Amino acid sequence: MATWQCDFQIVPSAAPVPAPDDAWLHFPPPEDWREKISGMLQPGDSWHQDLVGWGPYDGNRVEGWLETSHLASMRARLDLRDPNLEAFVLQLLALLPVIGASLETHYGTRLPSSLPALTEAIQGSPAFRFVTNPEAFLRRLRLGGPDDA
């Protein structure tokens, strides 16, 4: 993950909070989940045969990890440098109910599927601090800032 990217786990809405790592194995997505994601992003490269991805590694991206051809986990990676980020975020938010999913932060907080909630989570991320003020971010990192270490 690049410093300008912010990750969110895509988890089944029916899973407990926080969702276990293998939640999709217990609450499988619809059969056409891959086609739904392909509707928002072009298929991307993958470094492993069990990892499916859409979008570039250094941009907006969705990835799914497979176990025996079944979805085990999924995440969205947002490129906070992207001037068209809002369009991607709106597509992502529209996709979530279609595949029975929600977003969780890396702290396990389940987010409401709304633009204000996701915007607030993005604005609280280290990636946002880096993109808005790289110099202050790096200075804070050198000083041992708790959120950006």
Side-chain angles (χ1 to χ4, degrees), residues 20-36:
D21 291 340
D22 63 351
W24 286 109
L25 295 175
H26 303 286
F27 303 94
E31 291 290 323
D32 63 348
W33 68 273
R34 293 183 200 207
E35 290 80 18
K36 300 293 186 191

Side-chain angles (χ1 to χ4, degrees), residues 2-16:
T3 307
W4 57 81
Q5 290 175 314
C6 181
D7 279 4
F8 294 93
Q9 294 303 309
I10 302 174
V11 299
S13 296

Side-chain angles (χ1 to χ4, degrees), residues 73-148:
S73 63
M74 191 178 344
R75 74 171 166 206
R77 181 164 279 170
L78 284 56
D79 178 355
L80 302 192
R81 307 167 303 162
D82 183 358
N84 298 314
L85 178 62
E86 185 176 352
F88 174 72
V89 165
L90 290 173
Q91 286 181 306
L92 179 63
L93 289 171
L95 170 73
L96 295 174
V98 172
I99 63 170
S102 299
L103 295 176
E104 279 189 5
T105 68
H106 66 278
Y107 297 113
T109 303
R110 183 85 41 100
L111 300 177
S113 293
S114 70
L115 186 57
L118 184 52
T119 299
E120 183 178 341
I122 289 168
Q123 290 175 343
S125 72
F128 184 80
R129 288 189 291 280
F130 175 77
V131 169
T132 55
N133 191 338
E135 185 178 310
F137 175 88
L138 294 172
R139 182 174 50 253
R140 181 178 173 160
L141 194 60
R142 279 191 302 276
L143 295 173
D147 292 334
D148 301 327

